[in-house]
Amino acid sequence: MKNILQIGVGALGQQVLRYLLERDGIRITGVADLNPELTGRDIGSFFDKPHTGVTVSRSLEDAIHASDSKPEVAVITTVSSIEKLVPQIREAAEAGLHIVSTCEELIFPWNRHPGAAEKIDSICKEHGVACLGTGVNPGFLMDYLPSVFTSVCQNVDSIYVERVQDASERRVPFQQKIGAGLTHDQFEAKKEDGSLRHVGLPESVDLIAHAMNWPLDDNRETLEPVLAEKEISSGYKKIKKGEPSGVEQVGSGFVGGREVIRLRFRAAVGEERSYDRITVSGTPTITTEIEGGLNGDTATCAITVNAIRSVTKCSPGLKTMLNVPVPAFYSRV
Amino acid sequence: MKNILQIGVGALGQQVLRYLLERDGIRITGVADLNPELTGRDIGSFFDKPHTGVTVSRSLEDAIHASDSKPEVAVITTVSSIEKLVPQIREAAEAGLHIVSTCEELIFPWNRHPGAAEKIDSICKEHGVACLGTGVNPGFLMDYLPSVFTSVCQNVDSIYVERVQDASERRVPFQQKIGAGLTHDQFEAKKEDGSLRHVGLPESVDLIAHAMNWPLDDNRETLEPVLAEKEISSGYKKIKKGEPSGVEQVGSGFVGGREVIRLRFRAAVGEERSYDRITVSGTPTITTEIEGGLNGDTATCAITVNAIRSVTKCSPGLKTMLNVPVPAFYSRV
């Protein structure tokens, strides 16, 4: 039985909580969220389920003392920014907890946030715990999985990953988030304020480059609207020809001026089909496609739960997906 | 720089040797093979390459002393049988070498060969070295890779992997090995003497079951001829309708009488197309396909070389692909 403390009960945190509850072999000993409106709420109520007896505490300290059972791992689903994550990691590590987090910048922070990475690594080593950032993207599809495929390569020239999603069937907030139905000006404004951006492509580029031992001389990112080629009426609102139907983001890693890593993320209403596609060019060249593409929400929450066992089985410190045993699904029968 | 000792210079061993030679950051300090005809031969001669100064020794001990550089890892490409491998592992471990081997039965020996597995584990722990069995199949495609995909699953009901190969373009010995062009009687005779069998499906079933924590009540294997549906002339010889054009082997794992793992390996002349396909049924269901299928020889030799770094980075003992960090390709630039 693994005793788990969950920190952060936003939309993602709630789904992780539900997945934790569903699993055999996992006991939720405490839950923490800063939001005072959630304090004291039974976690069953988030899913219209019977009361569980586990309620939301306002702090990690309160959550630890909410149960007689000592937790072993903290699952942190709070922020995307690693700088904001550091104090949360410190508190969990000081309490002797291993950490799994969905923080996008934690996936591979050594290049972009070396100060925070070193701080986390030394905090974890001091307290004898391991810390891992994971998720479907970043954390699996566009970084770890391509790295796994290179295991059967004698040589790798370049890696190209595409994640293309038809957003027509997705929730309205998702369609809005990717800019479908905005005017050009609205799209540009949202691009400027950063609210359109999928976080994590540069981290994925860094993780692959580290796996391949490629010393990047550049790690770039672009973000452009997808423009409707004809009127689209499959989404939450009609989109005229030439108007934004979604977003395309490309992360690129260069060695000696050559683009050796290209990660293309495209989500738009009216796309012909959804798929995830990985091409490793080398000896041999490997092309593989996941039919229909992975469901991001399900996959992120599932890998977060599956990674719990991985962090309990490695040496102390800040880990990446490259350092831990494969966090495969594990049934408790 | 990693110093490597290569043990076994058969067809597979020679290709591994070539891959080792091609890699930056790897130095071959010695090579051993029991075959007296190979003793003293420069390894460059296997590939029509210039002399390397590294020659084949008749024993591991001679190979160790062939160079002033102390080797760190032994790559063993000798036998498929784990029982025959044990003394070779003992000798390497006593010399303080980590071990990577292509021995099929070593992939996951804990169920089928518990005595040998425990012996290897304790020998390795005694000498502070790690030992790993790897390859493309078993070792990657039908066991490790499906396990990797389950990392993003909240639940897994069953796993189905297909490896289908059109042998028309393959080497004549390969076409003969899979039984293409045999009569029914010849096929049955070869099936009986075991020379048709691809070794490793039960090991792959065991590895997946271990990853998923599924207590198998049965692990079965079938082997049948593929029969030509019409006359086939794409291979090395004409095959009449109804005659064997290749082999189909299925490995199955059962829990509570239900087939939860199904590994289908089919190699025949005149197959419509070659592909590797993985279906993880669960939450979510994931279907992925490698276009054209992986080239087995290239992939096995490459993952053997890539796994060298993995064994130097784990704790002592007998490991499986589930215990080691992903053996991604690593360039030495």
Side-chain angles (χ1 to χ4, degrees):
Chain A
M1 185 65 72
K2 295 247 176 272
N3 290 336
I4 307 299
L5 202 88
Q6 163 79 24
I7 304 171
V9 198
L12 184 66
Q14 288 183 25
Q15 191 172 346
V16 170
L17 213 43
R18 181 159 66 83
Y19 279 16
L20 288 168
L21 275 173
E22 282 175 16
R23 292 283 184 105
D24 292 328
I26 283 180
R27 181 195 292 130
I28 302 172
T29 63
V31 177
D33 197 291
L34 285 172
N35 182 350
E37 288 176 21
L38 297 179
T39 309
R41 197 164 151 184
D42 189 287
I43 60 172
S45 69
F46 291 116
F47 329 108
D48 289 327
K49 287 201 173 172
H51 277 216
T52 63
V54 179
T55 56
V56 180
S57 303
R58 203 176 301 193
S59 71
L60 179 105
E61 206 191 327
D62 288 354
I64 287 178
H65 296 108
S67 164
D68 291 339
S69 306
K70 195 187 156 349
E72 186 182 356
V73 179
V75 174
I76 307 185
T77 54
T78 50
V79 290
S80 295
S81 150
I82 192 171
E83 294 293 348
K84 291 182 185 158
L85 189 69
V86 174
Q88 301 175 12
I89 286 179
R90 187 190 301 277
E91 215 185 338
E94 283 174 354
L97 302 175
H98 299 293
I99 295 144
V100 175
S101 176
T102 54
C103 171
E104 288 91 341
E105 290 183 352
L106 187 65
I107 294 295
F108 194 89
W110 295 98
N111 291 351
R112 303 176 73 82
H113 308 279
E118 276 155 35
K119 209 179 290 170
I120 292 170
D121 192 45
S122 77
I123 291 170
C124 288
K125 282 175 176 161
E126 189 187 332
H127 297 282
V129 299
C131 172
L132 173 71
T134 194
V136 67
N137 181 27
F140 183 81
L141 187 74
M142 301 187 104
D143 37 38
Y144 176 65
L145 190 56
S147 303
V148 166
F149 275 104
T150 68
S151 301
V152 289
C153 293
Q154 165 67 356
N155 188 47
V156 178
D157 290 321
S158 64
I159 292 176
Y160 179 33
V161 187
E162 293 172 278
R163 179 155 171 79
V164 175
Q165 303 193 306
D166 172 23
S168 307
E169 306 287 320
R170 299 288 297 271
R171 297 174 279 126
V172 174
F174 181 83
Q175 297 187 31
Q176 290 170 328
K177 196 197 159 217
I178 60 169
L182 298 183
T183 65
H184 289 276
D185 286 351
Q186 287 168 332
F187 192 98
E188 283 307 312
K190 277 187 173 286
K191 177 178 172 178
E192 280 307 306
D193 73 20
S195 61
L196 266 168
R197 179 172 174 256
H198 163 77
V199 182
L201 287 186
E203 282 75 11
S204 291
V205 168
D206 276 338
L207 188 135
I208 292 176
H210 181 77
M212 303 295 105
N213 191 33
W214 285 340
L216 295 185
D217 38 49
D218 202 1
N219 181 346
R220 270 186 239 159
E221 193 178 6
T222 60
L223 188 158
E224 299 298 336
V226 177
L227 303 181
E229 291 184 3
K230 53 183 182 193
E231 188 176 274
I232 299 171
S233 49
S234 57
Y236 78 108
K237 65 182 274 193
K238 216 165 255 184
I239 298 167
K240 285 190 200 129
K241 185 180 170 182
E243 295 289 312
S245 60
V247 67
E248 175 156 327
Q249 230 174 301
V250 177
S252 303
F254 294 81
V255 173
R258 188 168 73 87
E259 189 181 33
V260 291
I261 302 167
R262 184 177 178 83
L263 310 181
R264 176 175 174 250
F265 174 75
R266 181 182 171 102
V269 169
E271 284 296 300
E272 215 168 283
R273 64 189 190 98
S274 300
Y275 61 93
D276 300 323
R277 193 174 167 86
I278 297 171
T279 303
V280 176
S281 298
T283 310
T285 290
I286 302 168
T287 303
T288 186
E289 189 171 308
I290 301 176
E291 292 173 11
L294 282 177
N295 177 307
D297 293 339
T298 302
T300 287
C301 297
I303 197 170
T304 302
V305 175
N306 291 327
I308 287 171
R309 292 179 71 245
S310 297
V311 289
T312 63
K313 287 191 286 185
C314 53
S315 58
L318 171 57
K319 304 291 166 180
T320 74
M321 288 292 289
L322 298 173
N323 310 131
V324 300
V326 50
F329 171 76
Y330 187 81
S331 73
R332 183 55 76 95
V333 285
Chain B
M1 187 63 73
K2 296 246 174 273
N3 290 335
I4 306 299
L5 202 89
Q6 163 79 26
I7 305 171
V9 198
L12 183 65
Q14 288 183 24
Q15 191 171 346
V16 170
L17 213 44
R18 181 160 65 83
Y19 280 15
L20 288 168
L21 275 173
E22 283 175 15
R23 292 283 184 105
D24 291 328
I26 283 180
R27 180 195 292 129
I28 302 171
T29 63
V31 177
D33 197 291
L34 284 172
N35 182 352
E37 288 176 20
L38 298 178
T39 309
R41 195 163 152 184
D42 188 287
I43 60 172
S45 68
F46 291 116
F47 329 110
D48 288 328
K49 288 202 172 169
H51 276 216
T52 62
V54 180
T55 56
V56 180
S57 303
R58 202 177 301 195
S59 70
L60 179 102
E61 206 189 330
D62 288 354
I64 287 179
H65 296 107
S67 163
D68 291 339
S69 305
K70 194 187 158 347
E72 186 182 355
V73 179
V75 174
I76 308 185
T77 54
T78 50
V79 289
S80 296
S81 150
I82 191 169
E83 295 293 348
K84 291 182 186 158
L85 189 69
V86 174
Q88 301 176 12
I89 286 179
R90 187 190 302 276
E91 213 184 341
E94 283 174 353
L97 303 174
H98 299 292
I99 296 143
V100 175
S101 175
T102 53
C103 171
E104 288 91 341
E105 290 183 353
L106 186 66
I107 293 296
F108 194 91
W110 295 99
N111 291 351
R112 302 175 74 82
H113 308 279
E118 275 155 36
K119 209 180 290 171
I120 292 170
D121 191 46
S122 76
I123 291 170
C124 288
K125 283 176 176 161
E126 189 188 333
H127 296 283
V129 299
C131 172
L132 173 71
T134 195
V136 68
N137 181 28
F140 183 81
L141 186 74
M142 299 187 106
D143 37 38
Y144 176 65
L145 191 56
S147 302
V148 166
F149 275 104
T150 69
S151 300
V152 289
C153 292
Q154 165 67 357
N155 190 46
V156 178
D157 291 321
S158 64
I159 292 176
Y160 180 33
V161 187
E162 291 171 277
R163 179 155 170 80
V164 175
Q165 304 194 306
D166 172 23
S168 306
E169 307 288 320
R170 299 288 297 271
R171 298 174 279 126
V172 174
F174 181 83
Q175 297 186 30
Q176 289 170 328
K177 196 196 157 219
I178 61 169
L182 298 184
T183 65
H184 289 276
D185 286 350
Q186 288 168 330
F187 191 99
E188 283 307 310
K190 277 189 174 284
K191 177 177 170 177
E192 279 308 303
D193 73 21
S195 61
L196 266 167
R197 180 174 174 255
H198 163 78
V199 181
L201 288 185
E203 282 75 11
S204 291
V205 168
D206 276 339
L207 188 135
I208 292 176
H210 182 76
M212 303 294 105
N213 190 33
W214 285 340
L216 296 185
D217 38 51
D218 202 1
N219 181 346
R220 270 185 240 158
E221 193 179 7
T222 60
L223 187 157
E224 299 297 336
V226 177
L227 303 180
E229 291 184 3
K230 53 183 181 190
E231 188 176 274
I232 299 170
S233 49
S234 56
Y236 78 107
K237 66 182 272 195
K238 215 165 257 184
I239 298 168
K240 286 192 200 128
K241 185 180 167 180
E243 295 289 312
S245 60
V247 67
E248 174 156 327
Q249 231 175 300
V250 178
S252 304
F254 293 81
V255 173
R258 188 169 73 88
E259 189 181 33
V260 291
I261 302 167
R262 184 176 178 85
L263 310 180
R264 175 174 175 250
F265 173 76
R266 181 181 171 104
V269 168
E271 284 297 300
E272 215 168 282
R273 65 189 190 98
S274 300
Y275 61 93
D276 300 323
R277 192 174 168 86
I278 297 171
T279 303
V280 176
S281 299
T283 310
T285 289
I286 302 168
T287 304
T288 186
E289 189 170 306
I290 301 175
E291 292 173 12
L294 282 177
N295 177 307
D297 293 339
T298 302
T300 286
C301 297
I303 197 169
T304 301
V305 175
N306 291 328
I308 287 171
R309 291 179 72 245
S310 297
V311 290
T312 62
K313 287 190 289 185
C314 53
S315 57
L318 170 57
K319 304 291 167 181
T320 75
M321 287 293 289
L322 299 173
N323 309 132
V324 299
V326 49
F329 171 77
Y330 187 81
S331 73
R332 183 56 74 97
V333 283

